[in-house]
Amino acid sequence: MSYPHQAPPRRPGAVVSAAALLLLMAVGAVAYAVANLLVTAGTVDRFRAAARPTGAGGGEIDGVAALLRGSTVLSAVLGVLVALLLVGLGLGLLSGRAGARVATWVVAGLGLFCGCCGLAVLVGQRAAPLRLGADDRVTADLLARVGDAYPGWWIPVNAALSVAQILGYLVVAALLTLPAAGAFFHRRPPRPPAGPRPPAGPVPAGPGYASAAPAYGHPSPWAPPAGPMSAPPPAGTPPTPPSAPPGPTPPPEERP
């Protein structure tokens, strides 16, 4: 028996907006990772050219250059992983999973913390440059050359992305706290339609029907009648002979 198709519940605008914002942030994370990898090659070349007048040895310059490349690759890998996580959370929100909503809040809290830390580091580097002792002056000069080796637009773009990350996670977390989103994630699953009710009356018996007791609680036509049961005869009592079957009834007598 076929049942009518039930339409899926309509997603509220708050949930759709939160999922779309997560997907947009995922695209931004991948784009930032790719741009960081593309910029690194020119940054390392400019760093090497700027580090030669500092008097640092070749080993120190190579070490800082390797650190620069390694941090760039690690940042790109983390960006791709974060993008995949955001895509998964967005799809989970669209499917109405309550666990995806809680996980989004957790990720939003971590994203807010990381965005604030990144913005604080950028502001701190510009406001108070790294100062080391006299013995580490060469290292301080090399690290200063790293910041100058990046393109002039790189630091402002990073600051803007950090601010956008903070605002994006705040908006997503706020959208998921709206009553419409809460009702969408706490909805009850639809109940299946009731099946056909059993037919009333005794179940027919005979060829083609099951000999067992019928379902639905109806009495079986083969069950013994209900009534008081006779007690068994006492021990030593001779068995009662079976009664003879009744003979033919005699015809009535004719009167004169």
Side-chain angles (χ1 to χ4, degrees), residues 130-160:
L130 182 63
R131 297 182 182 276
L132 300 176
D135 297 337
D136 298 328
R137 181 167 298 177
V138 175
T139 303
D141 292 340
L142 290 178
L143 295 178
R145 297 297 189 275
V146 171
D148 297 336
Y150 280 100
W153 51 267
W154 185 250
I155 301 299
V157 166
N158 277 266

Side-chain angles (χ1 to χ4, degrees), residues 37 45 55 85 107-108 112 142 154 156 161 190-191 198 200 203 205 225 230 254:
L37 292 175
D45 294 338
L85 177 60
V107 172
L112 286 174
L142 290 178
W154 185 250
L161 290 177
R191 296 181 179 180
V203 178
S230 59
E254 297 182 359

Side-chain angles (χ1 to χ4, degrees), residues 85-208:
L85 177 60
L86 295 179
V87 170
L89 292 176
L91 296 179
L93 293 178
L94 293 177
S95 61
R97 299 178 182 177
R101 184 191 186 198
V102 177
T104 302
W105 280 332
V106 174
V107 172
L110 295 176
L112 286 174
F113 177 76
C114 295
C116 292
C117 291
L119 186 60
V121 169
L122 291 175
V123 173
Q125 287 180 352
R126 291 301 179 182
L130 182 63
R131 297 182 182 276
L132 300 176
D135 297 337
D136 298 328
R137 181 167 298 177
V138 175
T139 303
D141 292 340
L142 290 178
L143 295 178
R145 297 297 189 275
V146 171
D148 297 336
Y150 280 100
W153 51 267
W154 185 250
I155 301 299
V157 166
N158 277 266
L161 290 177
S162 298
V163 174
Q165 177 183 355
I166 295 173
L167 295 178
Y169 283 122
L170 281 175
V171 172
V172 169
L175 289 174
L176 294 181
T177 57
L178 295 179
F184 176 71
F185 288 105
H186 291 89
R187 69 187 187 278
R188 295 182 179 179
R191 296 181 179 180
R197 304 185 67 178
V203 178

